[in-house]
Structure formats: structure tokens, C-alpha cells
Amino acid sequence: LRRVGARYCAMARRLARTFADVIDNPVLLGGVKSITVKYAKVGPGQAGARHFIASQFPVIKYHNMDIELGINKVEHPSPAGLTVEKADGTVVEHEIDGLHSDDIMDIVQKA
């Protein structure tokens, strides 16, 4: 029973740090209407897209409530892709196959 309590405390500390990171490091994406990530469940080069969705989508949504976030998960291995639609209707597509989630975030912020 004591080990469960220690594990719970460690998880609670990690969660508190995560919330603090989300609040203290805003990601403001002015002029972006929607972001869609396409990736395969398995295959080489897909991990960065999966990690981007898990780690950065909540941060983006927290600070930009009006941005639509989409996920397109395909069954067969194919290159991972990122589609950013701007407020003026311009659509920018990027191939993110093999990129780290931080590199994908840089692409989104520059779009």
C-alpha cells in the first residue's frame, strides 16, 4: 500500500509540472484556422507525429480555443503529414515523416 502512495505522489507531481508548463508557456497561433495531422498507426517515421498529438495538441487547444484540431489516422504505412489552414483560406501542407515533435511544433508556429 505504501508503494502505491509513492507512485501516486510521483504522478501527481508530474501532472502538476505538466499543467504549469501549459500555463506558463503559451503557444499563440494567430491567423491559424485549423491543424490536421495524418499518420499511420505503425511504421517508420510516425513516432514524432504521435508524440506531437499527445504532447502539443492539448497545449495548442488550451491557448487557442478557436482553432480546429484534426487527427487522420490511417491503417497502412504512409508518410506522416501536417495540414495547416490559415484564416485567409490558404492551406499549407508539410511532410513530417521522421521529424521530432518539437520540429513539428516549429513548423506549426512558422506557418
Side-chain angles (χ1 to χ4, degrees):
L1 185 64
R2 186 173 182 174
R3 288 191 65 171
V4 172
R7 246 186 273 156
Y8 174 75
C9 289
M11 288 174 30
R13 281 192 303 270
R14 238 177 301 150
L15 188 59
R17 278 196 311 264
T18 301
F19 283 137
D21 286 345
V22 168
I23 293 169
D24 294 340
N25 301 316
V27 176
L28 303 174
L29 302 173
V32 175
K33 183 178 176 184
S34 70
I35 300 170
T36 305
V37 177
K38 179 192 90 162
Y39 69 97
K41 288 183 177 181
V42 295
Q46 308 295 318
R50 288 193 302 264
H51 288 257
F52 174 74
I53 290 169
S55 65
Q56 301 298 334
F57 262 31
V59 176
I60 292 170
K61 193 62 176 176
Y62 181 82
H63 294 288
N64 307 280
M65 302 248 182
D66 56 336
I67 293 179
E68 296 176 26
L69 300 176
I71 300 170
N72 185 5
K73 193 184 309 183
V74 295
E75 294 292 327
H76 53 86
S78 64
L82 173 73
T83 305
V84 179
E85 183 181 354
K86 297 182 181 182
D88 62 359
T90 309
V91 177
V92 180
E93 295 187 9
H94 296 277
E95 187 173 312
I96 56 172
D97 206 32
L99 293 180
H100 190 272
S101 61
D102 294 337
D103 298 331
I104 298 169
M105 189 63 184
D106 290 340
I107 291 171
V108 169
Q109 288 178 329
K110 290 176 185 173

